[in-house]
Amino acid sequence: MHIICQMLTTLRIKNLALVTDLTLELQPGGNVITGETGAGKSIIIGALNLVLGDRADRALIRSGSDSCSVEAVFDVKKLRAPLKNFLEENGLEPCEEGQLVLKRMFTSAGTNRQFVNGSATTLNVLATIGEWLVDMHGPHDHQSLLHSGKQLAILDAFGGLEKEREAFGELVRRRTALEVEKSALVVDEKTYAQQLDLLRFQVQEIFGARLQIGEDESVEENFQRASNAARLLQLSQAALDLLSENENSLLTQAGLIGRTLQELQRVDAGAVNLVELHAQAAGAWRELQSELSRYVERVDVDPAQLQQLEERMDLLRSLKRKYGVTLAEVIAFGDEAKQKLQSLESRDVELARLNAALGKLDSEILSAGRKLSAARTKVIPQLAKAVGKQLADLGFKQSKFDVAVKSYSVAADVSRLKLNFEIDQSRFTSAATIKQTGLDEIEFQFAPNPGEPAKPLRAIASSGEMARVMLALKTVLAAEDEIPVLIFDEVDANVGGETANAVGEKMKQIAAKRQVLCITHLPQVAAPADAHYVVTKQIRDGRTISEIALLNKKERVTELARMLGGQTDAARKHAEALLK
């Protein structure tokens, strides 16, 4: 068996329903969970739904607890989805060693918290990641195959049409970009004149200011100094007078002190250190005098300069209020406005260029769309036949699976679209029928019984029927589908006999390409799995709890025998035969 990779490696549940603290270590390939009715198997699915973004119900918190949590660890080394970029764009921590950790917590008070790799995030982010990782099939809403867009992707994957689809999408994206350019030019004359006037004013105002990045800080600093020049001069001159320029100045007094200390030294030679200290202090005061004198010379009381600095500062502040928080942003705004102005001033030339490019793209899009539609038309019967064969194995002997297609590739519709382009090219990108995926919309349809009309897959009421249709699709598409973890619940509803054997075989086929987690009551479905877990209810300290355990081969025989009806010799032999 060739297992591509192990995806969901660990699921830990705390204080959810009957679970106190449960850790499930899953294996690559097929994983099956069995147990008595009411043992708590559905809690596993409920926990996965929660950690993948479903709404939380406070009633699920275990009685006596204030909160519950679910944590899931995925191995994403080989995941094809753009997870790395998605995490970066949403400010989330990257995956370490290819491990993605999702966690969901909620409390009885109604507080919800969710984390990706330890970073807090939103439920929408969890749900988006969940759509890349897990497909659930059963009475749950996590079923990507019900969406028309996903069905179209499946059809293209089955037919190997991804390159043609991507090429078509790239043409549409290029056209959309050109339409954005064109919409900026196609305005009425009054609006055109207003835009020209505004852009010319903005360009003149910004470029006329001859801005230098960082000058706002130096201008404000110089303005503050200039505006306080008179006071600075007054204070520095007063300090200079006290230091040296009056008869009682500090330096005059220092001279008297110096002479006194020299006399003291003549009387006592041991006082030499006092004379030295005085010399040091006098030197510092003289240095201070020199610095103060130079500072006084630099202070310039110039009203004209002050006015110039104030006007420049006001201009810079005004520009930042209008065009950006920093001067760098203002300059960037000016550059962009200049480019827009040049484009508008040469509007007619630009419009002619854009219209020519759009016309060329229209033809390319229609041609590529028709080729893609024709290829899909050939693939549809092949897909319907392949899925129908799988459904027959699963008990739907006379059912019908089909793919309804709504296409704009027929001649009349192409002509109508082409006419619309010529009348008003903007309709092309705004029309709901034109998407990056092509000119087609499809719907998977199913009729379980002969004589009944086929209905959209999303309209199937029976969860058992739905699960088996999904199983048939997954078997056919196991190699092409990119969602790595498949979960089947109630896949064995209303199934028995040979059909049960077929369900087990289909599970095994899918598990060769994807990780599968299946909750089942059928021993024929459980036996082919690579790993078998059993959920049991225990009573501890008067409280009921659910536990899960991975079974060894001997334990598997016992559990399969229970599922077959009891621990008789016949049941155990049957169980051993199923495992072989």
Side-chain angles (χ1 to χ4, degrees):
M1 180 180 294
H2 173 62
I3 303 300
I4 290 181
C5 61
Q6 179 175 349
M7 289 301 300
L8 177 57
T9 60
T10 306
L11 181 67
R12 186 175 184 185
I13 309 168
K14 295 186 69 174
N15 298 324
L16 182 68
L18 297 179
V19 172
T20 53
D21 192 345
L22 180 152
T23 299
L24 178 60
E25 301 286 348
L26 289 161
Q27 308 301 313
N31 297 263
V32 68
I33 298 176
T34 64
E36 297 280 3
T37 300
K41 299 185 295 297
S42 61
I43 295 173
I44 306 297
I45 301 298
L48 271 171
N49 275 313
L50 286 171
V51 83
L52 296 173
D54 269 16
R55 293 182 60 122
D57 183 353
R58 285 178 288 176
L60 293 172
I61 299 175
R62 181 170 172 78
S63 177
S65 301
D66 295 326
S67 64
C68 74
S69 66
V70 181
E71 182 175 304
V73 181
F74 291 85
D75 183 339
V76 293
K77 296 185 187 74
K78 297 184 180 180
L79 183 67
R80 297 179 185 176
L83 179 64
K84 182 180 178 181
N85 291 340
F86 182 80
L87 296 179
E88 290 178 358
E89 291 167 2
N90 287 275
L92 302 172
E93 290 294 316
C95 298
E96 294 185 4
E97 298 181 355
Q99 300 296 301
L100 172 71
V101 182
L102 307 181
K103 187 171 184 179
R104 178 84 180 277
M105 303 173 63
F106 59 97
T107 68
S108 54
T111 303
N112 269 281
R113 300 185 69 192
Q114 42 279 327
F115 304 87
V116 174
N117 294 336
S119 301
T121 187
T122 65
L123 281 181
N124 286 338
V125 167
L126 279 188
T128 298
I129 293 175
E131 288 176 359
W132 291 335
L133 296 175
V134 177
D135 222 349
M136 291 194 184
H137 305 300
H140 307 287
D141 296 329
H142 210 77
Q143 299 178 353
S144 65
L145 288 180
L146 298 184
H147 303 298
S148 177
K150 177 61 178 176
Q151 293 174 0
L152 189 59
I154 287 170
L155 178 67
D156 290 341
F158 179 79
L161 303 175
E162 292 96 333
K163 289 184 178 179
E164 292 86 344
R165 172 189 173 116
E166 177 57 28
F168 182 90
E170 177 58 26
L171 291 173
V172 175
R173 288 190 290 274
R174 283 167 52 193
R175 196 183 198 287
T176 301
L178 290 178
E179 282 291 351
V180 172
E181 287 187 55
K182 181 179 175 181
S183 65
L185 297 175
V186 180
V187 293
D188 60 73
E189 289 304 315
K190 181 179 179 181
T191 304
Y192 175 63
Q194 290 173 342
Q195 289 181 353
L196 278 177
D197 288 343
L198 176 61
L199 287 170
R200 284 169 180 160
F201 173 80
Q202 291 172 337
V203 169
Q204 176 58 39
E205 186 176 35
I206 294 172
F207 283 89
R210 299 182 181 279
L211 301 175
Q212 298 292 327
I213 294 177
E215 73 165 302
D216 48 343
E217 296 177 2
S218 62
V219 167
E220 292 203 21
E221 184 180 329
N222 291 334
F223 173 77
Q224 291 298 326
R225 186 180 295 113
S227 63
N228 293 311
R231 179 61 174 162
L232 294 175
L233 185 62
Q234 178 186 8
L235 291 172
S236 57
Q237 187 61 57
L240 195 59
D241 289 345
L242 291 170
L243 185 62
S244 65
E245 295 185 2
N246 62 53
E247 60 183 16
N248 293 318
S249 67
L250 184 59
L251 284 177
T252 300
Q253 297 299 319
L256 294 174
I257 294 172
R259 288 191 291 274
T260 302
L261 290 176
Q262 287 173 355
E263 184 66 25
L264 178 64
Q265 182 186 7
R266 280 194 292 271
V267 176
D268 180 7
V272 64
N273 64 315
L274 298 178
V275 174
E276 291 173 354
L277 287 172
H278 173 269
Q280 292 173 11
W285 293 330
R286 283 191 292 272
E287 184 178 353
L288 176 59
Q289 177 195 23
S290 298
E291 288 298 320
L292 270 173
S293 297
R294 284 192 288 271
Y295 183 86
V296 169
E297 290 174 0
R298 289 199 305 269
V299 175
D300 184 11
V301 182
D302 185 349
Q305 182 195 25
L306 180 62
Q307 183 177 355
Q308 289 176 358
L309 287 169
E310 184 174 13
E311 290 174 354
R312 184 64 176 175
M313 186 172 62
D314 289 343
L315 173 61
L316 298 180
R317 288 177 176 175
S318 173
L319 291 174
K320 288 194 290 184
R321 278 196 304 270
K322 292 179 182 178
Y323 306 119
V325 177
T326 66
L327 287 186
E329 291 180 11
V330 175
I331 292 170
F333 185 98
D335 291 337
E336 186 178 348
K338 187 176 181 181
Q339 290 178 0
K340 289 180 180 178
L341 179 61
Q342 291 172 344
S343 180
L344 277 181
E345 286 176 337
S346 58
R347 180 179 64 164
D348 293 341
V349 175
E350 279 292 294
L351 278 176
R353 180 187 68 81
L354 290 172
N355 283 331
L358 286 167
K360 184 172 183 248
L361 273 175
D362 289 343
S363 298
E364 292 178 10
I365 287 170
L366 286 171
S367 176
R370 282 184 286 183
K371 289 180 181 177
L372 182 56
S373 296
R376 286 168 173 165
T377 301
K378 292 180 180 179
V379 169
I380 285 173
Q382 300 170 23
L383 177 63
K385 182 179 179 181
V387 174
K389 182 179 183 302
Q390 299 296 332
L391 286 170
D393 293 342
L394 292 168
F396 294 111
K397 300 296 183 183
Q398 300 185 60
S399 64
K400 181 182 180 182
F401 178 86
D402 203 355
V403 181
V405 59
K406 179 182 179 183
S407 176
Y408 292 92
S409 60
V410 296
D413 287 331
V414 170
S415 298
R416 177 177 58 79
L417 285 173
K418 199 166 185 179
L419 180 62
N420 283 346
F421 302 157
E422 293 168 355
I423 295 172
D424 181 1
Q425 293 184 346
S426 67
R427 293 186 191 180
F428 184 86
T429 52
S430 63
T433 53
I434 306 302
K435 300 176 181 178
Q436 293 184 18
T437 53
L439 303 175
D440 313 298
E441 291 183 358
I442 69 166
E443 184 88 64
F444 286 171
Q445 295 189 329
F446 179 60
N449 303 305
E452 295 182 8
K455 295 180 181 179
L457 207 57
R458 54 185 165 78
I460 295 177
S462 166
S463 60
E465 289 180 351
M466 174 71 80
R468 278 183 280 166
V469 172
M470 294 298 179
L471 184 55
L473 278 164
K474 286 296 180 182
T475 305
V476 170
L477 301 166
E480 288 82 11
D481 193 5
E482 295 185 352
I483 298 180
V485 182
L486 307 180
I487 297 177
F488 293 94
D489 189 16
E490 294 190 14
V491 72
D492 53 7
N494 304 315
V495 167
E498 285 302 313
T499 301
N501 291 328
V503 170
E505 184 59 31
K506 302 305 177 195
M507 289 287 185
K508 185 176 181 179
Q509 292 176 26
I510 297 172
K513 297 289 186 179
R514 299 283 181 266
Q515 186 186 37
V516 172
L517 177 60
C518 175
I519 294 178
T520 183
H521 293 283
L522 291 178
Q524 298 96 324
V525 175
D530 299 292
H532 188 158
Y533 303 82
V534 66
V535 178
T536 57
K537 282 198 298 189
Q538 309 288 339
I539 298 178
R540 292 184 183 173
D541 300 325
R543 298 288 303 278
T544 302
I545 63 172
S546 288
E547 295 182 337
I548 191 166
L550 175 63
L551 304 181
N552 58 32
K553 186 174 181 180
K554 184 177 179 181
E555 291 166 338
R556 288 189 75 174
V557 170
T558 300
E559 174 62 7
L560 290 175
R562 180 197 67 78
M563 298 170 72
L564 286 164
Q567 298 301 324
T568 64
D569 288 342
R572 293 188 67 83
K573 287 181 179 179
H574 191 181
E576 290 172 352
L578 286 174
L579 286 174
K580 291 179 182 178

